[in-house]
Amino acid sequence: MMDAARRETVKGWSFIAPTLLWTVAFFVVPFAIMAVMSLWKRIGGKIVQTWSLDNYVAFFGKSHLLKAMLNSLEVTVLVTLISILLAYPLAWIIAERVPQRWQRLALILAILPFWTSYVVRSYAWLLVLARNGVINQALLGIGIIDEPLELASTRTATVIGFVHFFVMLLTLTIYANLVQLGPNYRRAAADLGANGLQVFWYVLLPLTLPGIMVGAFLTFVLCIGDYITPQILGGNNELLLPQVIMLQIGRRADLPTAAALSILLMAVVTLAYVLCARWLRLERA
C-alpha cells in the first residue's frame, strides 16, 4: 500500500513539476530580483546596492508619480465599466436572440479583434481618430463640425482603444454564464408576477455576476499594466504608470525606481484580485 501511495505521489509531482519549474524560473525568480533591486538606489549614474525604502517613499512624495498611478486607476475603472455596459447586451443577444446553430459563428465574429496584432489595432485606431481620420472627415462632410476634433493623443483615444479590445473579452465571460441559465428561471419569475426588467434585475443579473466579475478582473489586470495602447493612442500628454516605468528604464536608466513602481503596480493588481476572490467566495457561500 505504501509503495502504491508513494508511486501515486511521485506520479502526481511529475505532472506538476514542469509547471512549477516554469513558474519559478520565469515568475518567482524575476520577481525576487525585481523586489531586491527596488531596495537599491541609483546615485551618480550608478546603481548602489544599499538597502532602503527610499524608492517607495519617493513615490508618495512625488506628485507626478502619484498622478500617473491615479491616471492608470481612472482609465482602468472607466474602461472596465464601459466594457461591461457594452459587453452585456452583446452577450445577451448572442445567447438569447441568435439561433443556437449560429451562436458559434457569432462568437467567432465577436472575437475577431483578438486575431489582429495589438500594435496594429492601436495604430488603426490612431488613423481613425486623427485630425484627418475617418471620424473627423465624416463629421466635417456632414457639417456637424467646422474644425477637426482633437481625438488622438488624448485619454478618450486610450479608452476607445482599450474598450474595443476588452468588450470582446467580457462578452465571452458573460456569455458563458448566460448559456448555463435555463429558461425555468425566467418562467418562475414571470409566474410570480415579475416583468421583464424585474426578471433581469433580480434573476439574470445576480446569476451572471460571477461572469461579469471574472471578466472585469481580467480587464482590470490587462488594462492597468498595458503600455502599448496608452503610448500610441494617448501619446505623452497624460502619462499612465506603465509609461512612467518605461521612461525610468529607457531615458533615466533608473532600474531601482522602475522596479519599485512595478512592485507598487503589482500590489494594486493583487489587491484587486483579493477583493474579487473574496467577493466570489461570499457569493458562493
Side-chain angles (χ1 to χ4, degrees):
M1 292 293 294
M2 291 297 295
D3 291 338
R6 188 177 293 110
R7 284 197 299 269
E8 289 297 322
T9 302
V10 172
K11 184 178 180 181
W13 277 105
S14 66
F15 281 122
I16 66 173
T19 303
L20 286 177
L21 291 174
W22 182 275
T23 303
V24 170
F26 295 102
F27 177 76
V28 177
V29 173
F31 179 79
I33 294 173
M34 185 172 64
V36 170
M37 185 173 291
S38 71
L39 302 176
W40 297 347
K41 295 182 65 176
R42 183 177 181 274
I43 301 176
K46 297 181 179 180
I47 297 178
V48 180
Q49 298 181 10
T50 58
W51 301 91
S52 69
L53 298 175
D54 290 349
N55 293 322
Y56 295 96
V57 175
F59 169 79
F60 295 99
K62 295 182 179 179
S63 59
H64 68 281
L65 296 180
L66 289 172
K67 180 62 175 176
M69 175 67 83
L70 182 60
N71 289 340
S72 293
L73 290 173
E74 289 177 351
V75 169
T76 300
V77 171
L78 183 61
V79 168
T80 302
L81 292 176
I82 294 176
S83 298
I84 291 173
L85 294 176
L86 294 177
Y88 201 103
L90 178 58
W92 184 83
I93 290 172
I94 295 175
E96 300 292 334
R97 290 292 179 261
V98 176
Q100 190 172 6
R101 65 179 181 274
W102 296 109
Q103 288 184 12
R104 184 173 299 179
L105 176 61
L107 287 174
I108 292 175
L109 295 176
I111 64 174
L112 277 178
F114 286 108
W115 299 359
T116 308
S117 169
Y118 206 56
V119 176
V120 172
R121 284 199 304 270
S122 297
Y123 276 111
W125 273 112
L126 186 63
L127 294 176
V128 171
L129 299 173
R131 286 181 61 86
N132 59 345
V134 176
I135 293 179
N136 275 316
Q137 292 300 318
L139 295 177
L140 288 170
I142 59 180
I144 294 181
I145 59 175
D146 297 325
E147 296 182 358
L149 300 175
E150 295 293 340
L151 297 176
S153 299
T154 62
R155 175 181 290 196
T156 300
T158 301
V159 171
I160 291 174
F162 275 138
V163 168
H164 174 232
F165 178 77
F166 292 118
V167 162
M168 304 301 106
L169 178 64
L170 275 156
T171 298
L172 294 178
T173 60
I174 297 172
Y175 170 84
N177 260 173
L178 285 171
V179 294
Q180 295 176 8
L181 302 180
N184 291 334
Y185 291 101
R186 288 181 285 272
R187 293 170 183 169
D191 289 340
L192 293 173
N195 56 37
L197 181 60
Q198 290 172 326
V199 170
F200 167 76
W201 187 256
Y202 293 106
V203 179
L204 294 182
L205 183 59
L207 291 175
T208 54
L209 273 178
I212 296 174
M213 291 298 295
V214 170
F217 172 71
L218 293 175
T219 299
F220 184 93
V221 172
L222 296 173
C223 183
I224 199 170
D226 189 276
Y227 165 76
I228 296 176
T229 298
Q231 185 68 18
I232 295 175
L233 294 177
N236 293 317
N237 296 326
E238 187 181 54
L239 294 179
L240 305 187
L241 195 58
Q243 292 173 282
V244 174
I245 293 173
M246 292 302 297
L247 287 174
Q248 298 297 322
I249 298 174
R251 294 189 180 180
R252 299 188 59 199
D254 192 348
L255 298 182
T257 298
L261 295 177
S262 300
I263 294 292
L264 291 170
L265 188 62
M266 185 173 292
V268 173
V269 173
T270 302
L271 178 61
Y273 169 76
V274 170
L275 294 175
C276 183
R278 183 178 180 182
W279 182 89
L280 289 174
R281 283 197 300 267
L282 291 175
E283 283 294 308
R284 293 194 184 112

